[in-house]
Amino acid sequence: MTKQQHPRIPTCTYRLQFNRWFTFAQAREIVPYLQALGVSDVYASPYFQAGANSLHGYDITDHNKLNAAIGSQADYDAWIAELHAHGMGQVLDFVPNHMGIAEPGNKWWADVLENGPSSMYAPYFDIDWRPLKSDLRDKVLLPILTDQYGRVLERGELQVHFEEGAFYLAYRNQKLPIAPGTYRFVLEMALENLAEYKDEEFYAEFQSILTALEYLPRRTETDPEKIAERAREKEIVKRRLERRCQEAPQVQRAIEKALAKINGRPGDPRSFDWLDELLNAQSYRLAFWRVAAEEINYRRFFDVNDLAAIRMELPEVFDAAHQLVVDLVRTGAVTGLRVDHPDGLYLPREYLDALQRRCAKMLGIPLPKDGRAVYMIAEKILTGAEKLRADWPLHGTTGYDFANQVAGVLVDASAEADATRTFHRFIGHTMHFGHLVYAKKRLVMRLALANEVEVLGNMLDRLSEKNRWYRDFTFEALARAVRETIACFPVYRTYLAPGQPVSDEDRQVIERAIASAKRRNPAMEESIFNFLRDILLFRFPENLDAQAREEHMHFVLKFQQFTGPIMAKGLEDTVFYIYNRLAALNEVGGEPQQFGLSVDAFHERNLDRHRTWPATLLATSTHDTKRSEDVRARMVAISEIPELWRRSLQRWRTANRRWKKIVNEAETPAPNEEYLLYQTLLGTWPIAGNGAPEQNVGPEYTQRIQAYMMKALNEAKLTTSWIQPNEEWLAATRDFVAKVLDPTPKNKFLPAFLPIAEEIARLGAINSLAQTLLKLTSPGVPDIYQGNETWDFSLVDPDNRRAVDYRLRAEMLSCLSSKTPEELLQNWPDGRIKMFLTQRALQFRNEQVDLFHRGNYLPLYATGAFADCSISFVRQLDRDWAIVIVPRLSSRIGFPPIGERWKDTVIEVPENLLLERGREIFTGRELSIQNRQIRVAEALSGLPFTMVTNQ
């Protein structure tokens, strides 16, 4: 690869999900295919050391090692060399917020468990060593047990082992270190077993080891010198102990005998007293996983106990976690970065600034004036009118905003009233989106993130004690004010920072949340909310000393870290599985209460993106989306057939009622669950090569739908949940799905369903082709999720992590040139038409990089019979231009929406466009442009999409 200018802006990225089933070696094999497709940069999932069976890589255990399950250093280097040989770059997904702690490979976490506050890595993790529960003082709660602690203990599932001079606790696949200072529990018992060897030299040495343990600095020491002494001396003790065992087998046997006694005997509860005493002396407290919500004292990624947050705001943590990634930037192996979950960071903008500065230093270049040394995007979820912060040194987001906008513009907004009425009638009650979000955020704060809110309430209580105006507020009142304000928060978080003025955006968000909380709680003292509002807006009392101001500031910054997870869990992982009016709109960053987006609004979003973030990512499918772009494209088409949808639902419900069971005095599945199921079936139903829906979908499809429904029901938390699974309800739902999909003649549902599935599949195919071309030509950098260059009907993870058949795709790509566009359209079910569109559009985009990176974006408008059924715009740079035209609401036009079906519809071309000639890039034919009008019937004469250019 030739020497790159910095930052390198991709032309098109392609997301690859690395794991033990898709390795560096396999990624190397597909590089020529990706280049032939038109991809400029691979967009890699995290591939640093993580859990061996991780499908995603976000559970990193060591930021400075490659994941051995994915490949060796040689495999990695060979892949990078292949990328460079094809002129391709790599955008790497980096995880700064948290680490995986379930695997023994996390040395930092293991050291914390062994040494508690005295661990040199204790400050690296966001641990509250002084929690409200005094029994947890100087301990970490570990909610890893599958049952109550006492039951697990007395079943003998907890066993202490001795290996290489060290003791550890084994539980299932976990290995937890035993604190060196507590080795005496075992060794003193072992010493008694060695009484007959008092005169042997090894006996005195063994006593010396016990003496050394007595002088070992305690695990609560936080003095740096004592920490260093402990770290040094404990390892000496381990080496001495290992040597004694090697040189004197009697010592090894004595220890094993002591452990046999300590580990207890199932059936004899009192025999476990020694083990219980030993475990109570550790730096961790083992607990049933269900108590995590209320008592856990380390910050997590959302409510995932196995992902512990790290304090990236500390320079030593930043330095330790970024050694490998910035070295990969230095060598050119990585040419761009995707920052995962910046909203979890204590100070997001400061982190991004530091990362850009470090990259500039490693590249040996001065930091540019705009602070952007390398291409960098962030996984920032924007809601409503929220904008990405202009002072962040980024090139944009990961593209969820575009995914929702392009889905919204394909919705028939005129059907909103009918869709709402049908939904409410089917489920038997109304459903207000805003009230639902509020209620489910409160639910999440009670069930999954209770301790986090409790901590904030306690912090606020301590602050109120320092203010004579507010010291009479009770802890419960203050904690409730925190809960209610978070429940009313309209965005994921605010971004106040020390030494910086409060932005207008943040002020408006906080005042809006406080005002909403007041309205919802008229019986609460208003001044409590005012107190919280003033603190959140940095309006601190003037008489505070430096320490008190620091405490106030710390509360605000911690508050900001917690609002995002509560929004994510309440909205994305709960409401989006309940508010099923049109489930295609229930997407990360989506606003399903808004039934569609007008064409004008879509153009406004693109214009704003062109002005402010011209290199932001444009996504339609990701590893985190609730369903693939092609499933979504089908499901939004339901909005085009509201009356047929309403009638069909009644027929389907009647046909399937006999398969329902009564569980907990209710029909299973519930009406809302059934409503989601029918939409999901339409979105994913397999289509045969002739365009007809498959009559028999087979067991694999059935199992996929069953697995999806299990996840959807547990996430919704209405009839079952992950914390308290309702196995009877889940089993009844699995049976219902199986019966509904049974291909035998007794199934009366399929004959009524398949005609609708055929219509939706056709409409969805047109929608998908339209959104693909819009993504490839709108302002920004288009991103393709692995395998989505052809039809992909995957659902939420883990369904979207299935292996991609790249051999088949490479064969499809190599054969495209032998097929005419008309043949590809005729055989649309095989997916080659989507690949053809993608490859040709990217080929043109690679030839005209400046046109799409710097060129203007000008909306175009249609007149005629189907003026509302198209989206068109022009990209223009000086004399060069490209006009894009795609259909929408194609049910009004017919299938396929081409040729004279468009009647008199024309696209008006602006005066400033030089129209000496026009060439259609997908067919190569010349297009007539007369009177500054393009007849859509001519532009879409052979394909249901077009891009016309003067190049």
Side-chain angles (χ1 to χ4, degrees):
M1 190 165 69
T2 57
K3 186 174 178 61
Q4 288 291 330
Q5 295 293 318
H6 300 289
R8 170 196 165 99
I9 307 298
T11 299
C12 174
T13 59
Y14 189 98
R15 174 76 176 202
L16 292 177
Q17 290 296 122
F18 285 96
N19 49 59
R20 68 183 310 163
W21 297 279
F22 185 80
T23 64
F24 296 136
Q26 290 167 289
R28 179 189 179 191
E29 292 175 0
I30 67 170
V31 168
Y33 162 73
L34 295 179
Q35 186 199 41
L37 186 64
V39 172
S40 69
D41 293 66
V42 164
Y43 172 21
S45 69
Y47 50 62
F48 295 157
Q49 191 62 55
N53 294 316
S54 175
L55 284 173
H56 48 75
Y58 289 98
D59 51 344
I60 289 174
T61 56
D62 190 332
H63 286 90
N64 297 309
K65 290 182 181 177
L66 297 175
N67 191 335
I70 298 174
S72 65
Q73 183 68 54
D75 295 329
Y76 180 81
D77 292 342
W79 172 53
I80 297 301
E82 190 75 6
L83 286 174
H84 288 181
H86 288 79
M88 296 175 67
Q90 181 204 169
V91 177
L92 173 61
D93 193 341
F94 186 73
V95 188
N97 178 70
H98 54 268
M99 298 182 75
I101 58 172
E103 297 281 332
N106 191 325
K107 304 302 182 186
W108 295 359
W109 185 252
D111 197 83
V112 169
L113 296 185
E114 183 181 46
N115 300 292
S118 191
S119 167
M120 64 181 70
Y121 301 111
Y124 284 33
F125 294 94
D126 208 345
I127 300 169
D128 181 5
W129 296 106
R130 299 288 187 274
L132 296 176
K133 186 168 183 174
S134 59
D135 289 343
L136 282 173
R137 188 183 180 99
D138 294 323
K139 291 177 179 282
V140 177
L141 184 79
L142 285 189
I144 62 173
L145 304 182
T146 58
D147 201 347
Q148 299 290 341
Y149 167 73
R151 295 173 186 169
V152 173
L153 178 77
E154 294 180 11
R155 286 200 296 260
E157 296 178 22
L158 301 169
Q159 296 284 289
V160 178
H161 295 274
F162 178 68
E163 191 176 283
E164 297 179 349
F167 293 94
Y168 67 88
L169 179 70
Y171 175 67
R172 295 188 170 229
N173 63 342
Q174 301 255 27
K175 291 177 66 173
L176 306 175
I178 295 294
T182 65
Y183 285 9
R184 290 174 307 184
F185 280 81
V186 184
L187 299 183
E188 287 174 354
M189 194 178 294
L191 187 66
E192 295 177 6
N193 297 332
L194 292 170
E196 61 184 293
Y197 301 105
K198 284 184 178 181
D199 296 331
E200 299 291 338
E201 183 180 344
F202 68 77
Y203 188 89
E205 174 67 13
F206 196 74
Q207 288 179 311
S208 176
I209 291 173
L210 280 167
T211 302
L213 288 172
E214 291 179 12
Y215 288 96
L216 190 70
R218 300 168 63 86
R219 62 178 178 80
T220 54
E221 287 283 359
T222 56
D223 177 78
E225 291 186 3
K226 291 292 185 180
I227 289 175
E229 179 186 345
R230 178 184 172 89
R232 180 184 67 249
E233 295 301 321
K234 70 181 178 64
E235 295 305 313
I236 293 174
V237 167
K238 292 176 186 177
R239 290 195 296 270
R240 290 176 64 189
L241 193 54
E242 182 182 16
R243 190 164 57 248
R244 282 301 97 209
C245 290
Q246 290 172 347
E247 295 175 356
Q250 300 94 323
V251 174
Q252 178 77 34
R253 288 194 295 269
I255 291 175
E256 290 172 355
K257 184 178 179 181
L259 287 177
K261 184 175 183 180
I262 288 172
N263 282 329
R265 298 178 304 280
D268 182 1
R270 293 267 65 89
S271 69
F272 290 97
D273 290 351
W274 288 296
L275 180 56
D276 183 38
E277 184 180 358
L278 174 62
L279 295 182
N280 285 334
Q282 301 308 306
S283 299
Y284 49 84
R285 175 180 172 131
L286 299 173
F288 188 21
W289 67 269
R290 287 182 179 168
V291 310
E294 296 181 6
E295 294 190 349
I296 201 159
N297 62 328
Y298 61 88
R299 187 167 62 88
R300 301 163 290 173
F301 171 72
F302 295 174
D303 60 346
V304 183
N305 297 336
D306 291 343
L307 297 177
I310 52 178
R311 299 180 62 198
M312 197 56 76
E313 68 273 14
L314 300 180
E316 60 268 31
V317 180
F318 181 93
D319 290 342
H322 289 80
Q323 295 171 18
L324 178 55
V325 69
V326 296
D327 190 60
L328 295 178
V329 170
R330 178 189 63 81
T331 62
V334 168
T335 53
L337 291 168
R338 181 248 201 207
V339 177
D340 180 66
H341 190 49
D343 277 355
L345 299 172
Y346 196 64
L347 295 167
R349 197 200 76 183
E350 285 73 2
Y351 168 78
L352 298 171
D353 285 337
L355 184 53
Q356 287 283 14
R357 287 195 303 271
R358 185 63 55 88
C359 288
K361 179 180 179 181
M362 296 300 288
L363 290 167
I365 62 174
L367 185 69
K369 290 182 179 179
D370 64 4
R372 300 184 295 185
V374 298
Y375 181 71
M376 193 180 294
I377 52 175
E379 186 208 23
K380 169 58 193 165
I381 312 302
L382 302 170
T383 59
E386 185 184 11
K387 305 285 187 183
L388 184 62
R389 298 303 167 107
D391 59 349
W392 285 15
L394 295 170
H395 291 85
T397 71
T398 52
Y400 292 120
D401 42 347
F402 179 82
N404 285 293
Q405 292 158 16
V406 76
V409 78
L410 298 174
V411 171
D412 188 345
S414 68
E416 179 174 12
D418 288 338
T420 304
R421 188 161 46 248
T422 297
F423 176 49
H424 288 166
R425 285 178 177 174
F426 192 92
I427 66 174
H429 59 85
T430 60
M431 187 179 291
H432 186 278
F433 182 79
H435 296 337
L436 187 63
V437 173
Y438 168 76
K440 297 310 171 185
K441 288 175 73 174
R442 292 184 66 195
L443 177 71
V444 163
M445 284 187 276
R446 188 173 75 250
L447 295 183
L449 296 165
N451 186 67
E452 285 81 349
V453 179
E454 191 86 351
V455 168
L456 289 174
N458 187 55
M459 292 173 68
L460 188 62
D461 184 47
R462 291 201 299 265
L463 298 183
S464 72
E465 291 294 331
K466 299 179 184 296
N467 191 316
R468 61 175 176 262
W469 289 93
Y470 302 116
R471 70 179 191 181
D472 288 342
F473 293 154
T474 66
F475 166 77
E476 178 52 41
L478 291 165
R480 184 177 177 186
V482 169
R483 286 195 299 271
E484 291 298 311
T485 301
I486 293 176
C488 295
F489 233 65
V491 296
Y492 280 69
R493 67 165 283 173
T494 50
Y495 300 95
L496 283 78
Q500 300 294 324
V502 179
S503 69
D504 289 339
E505 299 100 313
D506 288 335
R507 180 178 295 104
Q508 291 170 11
V509 164
I510 291 167
E511 290 181 346
R512 178 179 166 189
I514 292 291
S516 179
K518 287 179 179 179
R519 286 195 303 272
R520 290 185 179 275
N521 296 273
M524 280 187 68
E525 172 66 46
E526 188 172 302
S527 60
I528 299 177
F529 288 110
N530 294 340
F531 171 60
L532 176 58
R533 177 201 61 203
D534 288 346
I535 290 178
L536 293 177
L537 289 173
F538 283 178
R539 299 171 185 165
F540 304 153
E542 295 181 0
N543 62 340
L544 295 181
D545 58 26
Q547 181 179 346
R549 290 189 66 82
E550 179 65 28
E551 291 171 354
H552 280 67
M553 189 76 68
H554 182 60
F555 169 79
V556 176
L557 300 184
K558 296 304 291 183
F559 180 92
Q560 292 183 144
Q561 282 183 296
F562 286 132
T563 56
I566 293 164
M567 173 73 93
K569 295 303 296 180
L571 179 64
E572 294 174 33
D573 293 344
T574 307
V575 171
F576 281 178
Y577 290 95
I578 300 173
Y579 192 78
N580 294 318
R581 179 176 65 170
L582 185 60
L585 301 180
N586 296 359
E587 199 48 83
V588 179
E591 296 179 90
Q593 77 277 22
Q594 295 185 2
F595 199 82
L597 186 72
S598 70
V599 174
D600 284 345
F602 177 76
H603 285 314
E604 289 172 8
R605 304 293 195 281
N606 268 350
L607 284 166
D608 181 68
R609 193 176 292 111
H610 177 263
R611 286 190 299 265
T612 55
W613 304 102
T616 189
L617 221 58
L618 307 178
T620 40
S621 283
T622 79
H623 62 287
D624 266 344
T625 43
K626 303 298 183 186
R627 50 194 58 82
S628 76
E629 60 195 52
D630 295 324
V631 175
R632 196 181 312 118
R634 282 187 182 181
M635 289 170 64
V636 298
I638 294 172
S639 68
E640 298 185 49
I641 54 167
E643 183 58 26
L644 179 59
W645 170 242
R646 182 189 64 78
R647 295 197 310 269
S648 299
L649 283 169
Q650 297 307 318
R651 289 198 297 270
W652 300 343
R653 170 184 258 177
T654 300
N656 291 328
R657 180 162 285 142
R658 58 182 173 156
W659 307 125
K660 291 199 169 192
K661 297 177 181 178
I662 301 298
V663 178
N664 305 136
E665 301 181 351
E667 281 192 343
T668 310
N672 195 18
E673 297 164 352
E674 188 178 0
Y675 202 81
L676 174 63
L677 173 63
Y678 294 142
Q679 293 182 70
T680 302
L681 293 178
L682 288 176
T684 58
W685 198 269
I687 300 297
N690 62 359
E694 295 284 3
Q695 302 285 324
N696 185 348
V697 292
E700 181 184 350
Y701 178 81
T702 300
Q703 290 164 11
R704 286 178 55 215
I705 299 302
Q706 288 173 325
Y708 171 75
M709 290 303 295
M710 297 306 98
K711 178 164 185 171
L713 268 57
N714 279 321
E715 295 283 24
K717 306 171 189 66
L718 293 176
T719 54
T720 179
S721 70
W722 297 115
I723 295 176
Q724 194 71 42
N726 186 334
E727 297 297 346
E728 189 178 359
W729 191 282
L730 294 171
T733 302
R734 279 194 297 269
D735 291 345
F736 182 82
V737 171
K739 289 286 197 286
V740 163
L741 301 182
D742 182 1
T744 57
K746 64 181 179 181
N747 188 346
K748 304 303 181 185
F749 164 69
L750 290 182
F753 174 80
L754 294 179
I756 313 304
E758 181 173 9
E759 175 67 9
I760 288 294
R762 289 180 170 186
L763 298 176
I766 300 303
N767 281 342
S768 182
L769 296 172
Q771 76 176 355
T772 299
L773 187 54
L774 291 174
K775 176 177 71 175
L776 297 176
T777 55
S778 290
V781 175
D783 173 56
I784 301 170
Y785 182 69
Q786 60 178 27
N788 278 242
E789 61 271 28
T790 65
W791 303 137
D792 181 272
F793 298 103
S794 296
L795 292 163
V796 71
D797 71 278
D799 196 56
N800 63 4
R801 312 286 169 84
R802 291 172 296 152
V804 177
D805 190 341
Y806 284 110
R807 182 170 298 178
L808 173 63
R809 282 164 173 74
E811 291 173 358
M812 291 172 65
L813 185 63
S814 65
C815 295
L816 281 182
S817 58
S818 65
K819 303 294 182 181
T820 66
E822 291 74 19
E823 288 176 308
L824 295 173
L825 179 60
Q826 184 178 359
N827 295 288
W828 64 269
D830 64 20
R832 288 178 297 174
I833 184 67
K834 186 180 180 185
M835 179 178 280
F836 167 77
L837 183 162
T838 300
Q839 193 268 341
R840 287 293 177 90
L842 286 179
Q843 180 182 13
F844 182 72
R845 186 172 179 126
N846 281 305
E847 293 168 353
Q848 304 292 330
V849 172
D850 285 346
L851 174 63
F852 288 96
H853 183 54
R854 298 193 296 113
N856 293 329
Y857 177 92
L858 303 172
L860 301 180
Y861 297 95
T863 60
F866 296 112
D868 293 338
C869 296
S870 69
I871 306 168
S872 54
F873 55 82
V874 61
R875 302 302 307 272
Q876 180 187 20
L877 182 64
D878 300 328
R879 298 173 64 90
D880 301 337
W881 53 263
I883 294 174
V884 175
I885 305 173
V886 299
R888 63 187 289 268
L889 313 183
S890 63
S891 63
R892 302 180 187 180
I893 303 162
F895 182 83
I898 59 174
E900 295 307 319
R901 286 193 171 105
W902 283 92
K903 298 183 179 179
D904 63 342
T905 309
V906 296
I907 304 294
E908 304 288 344
V909 181
E911 293 286 339
N912 61 342
L913 223 58
L914 299 175
L915 299 177
E916 62 271 15
R917 62 188 178 88
R919 177 181 63 85
E920 208 280 333
I921 74 158
F922 296 106
T923 62
R925 62 188 175 85
E926 296 289 322
L927 188 68
S928 172
I929 303 176
Q930 298 179 350
N931 301 321
R932 297 205 165 270
Q933 292 183 334
I934 298 176
R935 289 189 65 241
V936 178
E938 183 181 353
L940 305 186
S941 62
L943 292 171
F945 52 83
T946 190
M947 179 156 48
V948 182
T949 181
N950 64 343
Q951 295 304 296

